[in-house]
Amino acid sequence: MSTYLSQVWQLLRNYVRDISLQEMPKTTSVETKVGLSFGKSIKVNKSAKFAQGNLQEDLWFQRLQESLEKWTISKSNLTYKIGDRISGPLLSELCLRVCNRQMHEEIYDLLGNGALKLEIVNQIMELVVTSQKIHPEVLFLRLEDFYRRWCQGKFIDATPDDNLPQKTKLKLATQNIAIGLRQVDIYTGLNVLILLLELHRYAQEQDELKEKITFYPSAQPDTDNFFTSQLLRIINYSDAIDIGNFSSIVGQFLKGGNFRSAYLGDANLTGADFSGADLSLAYLGDANLTGVNFIGANLSGANFGDANLSGANLSGANLSGADLSSTNLSGTNLSCANLSRADLNRADLSSTNLSSTNLSHADLSRADLSSTNLNRADLSNAILFGANLSEANLSNVNLNHADLCRADLSGADLSHAILNGTNLSDTILFSTNLSDAILMAADLSYAKLNGAKLNNAKLNGAMFLGADLSGVDLSRVSLNEADLSGVILSEADLSGADLTDAILFGTDFSYANLNSANLSGSNLSGAILNGANLSHSNLSYAILSGADLSDANMEKMTWGRKQQWEGVRGLKTAVNVPEALKEELGLN
């Protein structure tokens, strides 16, 4: 009995070796589509049992294992160490047991009827890493040679006698597997590409292999050809069958890949995984990159002009010097990314996560940053001319010496932000929260600050020429040596504010709350203080010539012994004037 079963098993094994595998479904009845080792499906008869499907998958994998071993074994069983460098000429001298022609035929036979699934790829890589019979470097060199020939169309353009895609198609047809010629060719090439990407990723983590196994899917850039377009041609070729075909098959295996200087303009890479990949100096203009994973990727100097990156994850990515002008980045995650000196002119960054991102020296002119999270981001020396930052979270952000001229910051949160020397001229700051912000020497000329909160802010040396601060909360603000000449501060809350040595020439303080404010040494020439609350304020050594104090509350106000009151108007109608001052001015 055992001998009979052994003979049956051998016959079955030989049969499966000679034909491509047909995958079996789990249930019975009508014809359906299934996939065992492959992601894409093929049609089979649904009359078989599930156990047979498992058997076919095991047998297919066994065939693949045997082929992988044969492809790297020399004819003379010559042994060599992994650490030894194997060059092209040396590889040919080894007289490998399986010639190129036979290997290429086996590749089409094994990989031509569908896309490899992730779990199968993982099993293959585990086999490559653990098997003593498979030499990774030789396998890489042979697969890379096949990939190069495939990219050049050597197989599909061959004569009928040598056309491997056509032979595979006809072979599958005898098994009632309907598949197109291009499908066979595309599945085979993309599956080899997947294996090369996985070999590259594995080798880059091994000190003895990282310099020997380096894969460039789009070919290695050189001085003559700065951009390489090989990968773009593959993407377009693959998508000719079905839009998004390349991304759905290869997308999840692109992580850690080397795509430096690749030309990928207009490419459809939706949902691809480029995490940890090198795309420095690559061209991705007008590409569809929605939902792409770029976590930790090197994108320095890359060109993304007009690309769609909505929903992409770029956290921790290096985008220094990248061109992202007019790019759609809405809803993307850019937290902790490096965007220093990047070009984001007119980019859509609405609702984007830019927390702790480096945007120093970046160009964000007219960019849309509305409702964006920029908490603790570095925007020092950034250009934000005319940018939309309405409702954005800019708390604890560094905006030192940034240019925000004519930007819209209405409703934004800039609490605890640092804006030393920042240009905020003609900026819209309606209802903006600037509490506890540092704006030393900032330029707020002609800024619209209605309803803004500036309590506890430090505005030492700031300039407010022509700004409207009426009704603004400036309680406990530091404005010493600030220039507020001609500024409208009517009904503003300046209680406890520090205005020592400030320039307040012609400033409108009508009905403002200056309770406990320090105005010592300030220049209030021509200032309007009618109806203002000056109770407990300090006006020592302030210049008051031409100031209007009509109806002002001067209760418990402090003034200097040599205070000059000549030309001050409205003292007769001021209320709660200290008795000592009345006597001094002869108002009793």
Side-chain angles (χ1 to χ4, degrees):
M1 182 66 178
S2 60
T3 304
Y4 175 76
L5 288 174
S6 176
Q7 290 175 346
V8 171
W9 172 258
Q10 188 62 41
L11 286 171
L12 178 61
R13 183 175 176 180
N14 291 339
Y15 175 75
V16 175
R17 281 180 177 175
D18 291 335
I19 63 172
S20 296
L21 298 176
Q22 296 184 35
E23 301 175 314
M24 302 298 176
K26 297 181 182 179
T27 58
T28 58
S29 77
V30 296
E31 187 180 48
T32 186
K33 293 183 178 181
V34 297
L36 292 174
S37 359
F38 300 110
K40 294 291 180 180
S41 57
I42 54 176
K43 290 187 177 181
V44 299
N45 193 297
K46 207 177 179 186
S47 60
K49 296 179 181 179
F50 176 57
Q52 290 177 311
N54 287 338
L55 176 61
Q56 283 192 324
E57 185 172 358
D58 291 341
L59 290 172
W60 175 86
F61 193 81
Q62 186 178 353
R63 288 181 60 212
L64 178 62
Q65 178 179 350
E66 291 173 357
S67 292
L68 291 172
E69 291 172 357
K70 287 190 301 180
W71 295 344
T72 63
I73 296 176
S74 65
K75 204 170 191 179
S76 58
N77 287 323
L78 181 65
T79 59
Y80 46 86
K81 297 177 181 177
I82 290 179
D84 298 333
R85 179 63 184 168
I86 302 173
S87 61
L90 177 58
L91 187 61
S92 63
E93 291 170 8
L94 287 175
C95 297
L96 292 163
R97 181 175 296 177
V98 178
C99 66
N100 283 344
R101 168 71 187 190
Q102 182 182 343
M103 177 185 170
H104 298 164
E105 190 168 348
E106 289 179 9
I107 288 174
Y108 271 97
D109 186 41
L110 287 162
L111 304 174
N113 65 334
L116 290 173
K117 287 182 179 180
L118 177 61
E119 55 268 27
I120 295 297
V121 174
N122 290 338
Q123 290 178 37
I124 294 171
M125 286 309 299
E126 184 180 357
L127 176 65
V128 171
V129 172
T130 58
S131 175
Q132 297 296 317
K133 297 180 181 180
I134 300 174
H135 303 285
E137 190 179 349
V138 178
L139 179 62
F140 170 75
L141 289 171
R142 299 205 75 184
L143 289 176
E144 186 183 41
D145 178 66
F146 176 92
Y147 176 74
R148 177 180 55 80
R149 294 168 188 252
W150 176 76
C151 289
Q152 294 170 353
K154 297 284 187 181
F155 304 112
I156 199 166
D157 291 337
T159 59
D161 291 338
D162 294 319
N163 196 301
L164 296 179
Q166 189 175 60
K167 287 186 175 184
T168 303
K169 176 185 182 302
L170 294 172
K171 194 173 185 179
L172 292 169
T174 63
Q175 303 164 47
N176 296 320
I177 300 173
I179 188 169
L181 182 65
R182 288 181 303 165
Q183 285 177 307
V184 171
D185 191 51
I186 289 169
Y187 288 146
T188 304
L190 294 186
N191 285 332
V192 170
L193 171 58
I194 288 168
L195 295 178
L196 285 167
L197 286 164
E198 289 297 294
L199 281 168
H200 169 85
R201 193 158 60 89
Y202 163 71
Q204 296 311 300
E205 297 173 353
Q206 312 299 317
D207 291 336
E208 70 274 16
L209 288 173
K210 62 169 53 177
E211 293 183 3
K212 298 166 187 173
I213 297 179
T214 304
F215 179 48
Y216 295 88
S218 193
Q220 187 171 1
D222 53 43
T223 52
D224 296 327
N225 298 298
F226 184 76
F227 285 121
T228 58
S229 59
Q230 178 173 277
L231 185 59
L232 179 63
R233 293 197 300 272
I234 293 169
I235 294 169
N236 292 336
Y237 177 43
S238 305
D239 286 1
I241 292 176
D242 188 15
I243 294 174
N245 193 43
F246 179 86
S247 286
S248 64
I249 295 174
V250 186
Q252 62 186 319
F253 301 103
L254 298 169
K255 54 189 175 184
N258 194 339
F259 307 95
R260 180 180 173 85
S261 296
Y263 185 93
L264 297 167
D266 291 292
N268 182 4
L269 291 161
T270 306
D273 186 355
F274 282 104
S275 57
D278 183 1
L279 286 133
S280 56
L281 304 175
Y283 182 84
L284 290 139
D286 294 293
N288 185 356
L289 302 166
T290 54
V292 172
N293 182 356
F294 283 114
I295 295 175
N298 181 5
L299 302 162
S300 57
N303 189 331
F304 290 89
D306 293 302
N308 185 358
L309 280 150
S310 60
N313 192 340
L314 290 135
S315 60
N318 180 7
L319 286 147
S320 57
D323 184 355
L324 291 149
S325 55
S326 301
T327 301
N328 182 2
L329 287 153
S330 59
T332 60
N333 183 359
L334 282 155
S335 60
C336 301
N338 181 5
L339 283 154
S340 59
R341 301 186 186 280
D343 185 358
L344 288 149
N345 180 41
R346 296 181 187 275
D348 183 357
L349 289 148
S350 56
S351 303
T352 299
N353 184 2
L354 286 157
S355 59
S356 302
T357 300
N358 182 0
L359 286 153
S360 59
H361 298 275
D363 185 358
L364 289 147
S365 301
R366 296 183 175 84
D368 185 358
L369 290 144
S370 56
S371 302
T372 296
N373 182 10
L374 285 148
N375 179 43
R376 299 186 184 280
D378 183 1
L379 283 151
S380 56
N381 297 287
I383 302 171
L384 291 142
F385 181 88
N388 181 4
L389 288 146
S390 58
E391 305 296 334
N393 180 4
L394 291 150
S395 58
N396 296 287
V397 74
N398 181 359
L399 279 158
N400 281 341
H401 304 289
D403 184 3
L404 284 151
C405 179
R406 297 187 181 179
D408 183 359
L409 287 151
S410 55
D413 183 3
L414 282 148
S415 58
H416 301 279
I418 305 172
L419 299 106
N420 294 327
T422 302
N423 182 7
L424 290 157
S425 60
D426 207 16
T427 300
I428 300 171
L429 293 159
F430 296 145
S431 303
T432 303
N433 184 4
L434 285 154
S435 57
D436 297 290
I438 303 173
L439 296 113
M440 296 173 68
D443 185 0
L444 287 144
S445 300
Y446 301 102
K448 287 80 174 174
L449 287 145
N450 304 74
K453 294 180 181 179
L454 284 151
N455 51 296
N456 294 312
K458 293 183 180 179
L459 291 148
N460 311 56
M463 184 163 55
F464 289 88
L465 181 65
D468 186 354
L469 289 156
S470 55
V472 174
D473 184 357
L474 289 155
S475 56
R476 299 178 300 281
V477 74
S478 178
L479 282 158
N480 59 300
E481 298 184 352
D483 188 353
L484 290 154
S485 301
V487 174
I488 302 171
L489 284 156
S490 58
E491 299 183 351
D493 184 359
L494 287 148
S495 57
D498 181 6
L499 289 151
T500 55
D501 301 312
I503 302 170
L504 303 166
F505 187 82
T507 303
D508 184 357
F509 287 104
S510 54
Y511 300 98
N513 183 7
L514 286 152
N515 176 259
S516 301
N518 188 354
L519 291 148
S520 60
S522 61
N523 186 349
L524 284 155
S525 301
I528 302 170
L529 290 150
N530 62 295
N533 181 6
L534 290 161
S535 58
H536 302 278
S537 63
N538 184 356
L539 285 162
S540 302
Y541 307 107
I543 301 171
L544 293 161
S545 58
D548 184 359
L549 289 163
S550 304
D551 302 313
N553 181 6
M554 302 173 70
E555 183 181 3
K556 296 183 179 179
M557 184 188 73
T558 303
W559 68 96
R561 290 184 180 180
K562 297 182 179 180
Q563 193 87 36
Q564 298 297 314
W565 295 96
E566 290 81 1
V568 176
R569 296 170 292 150
L571 283 170
K572 291 183 178 180
T573 59
V575 297
N576 298 320
V577 179
E579 290 299 323
L581 182 58
K582 285 183 179 180
E583 292 180 6
E584 184 180 331
L585 298 175
L587 296 173
N588 288 327

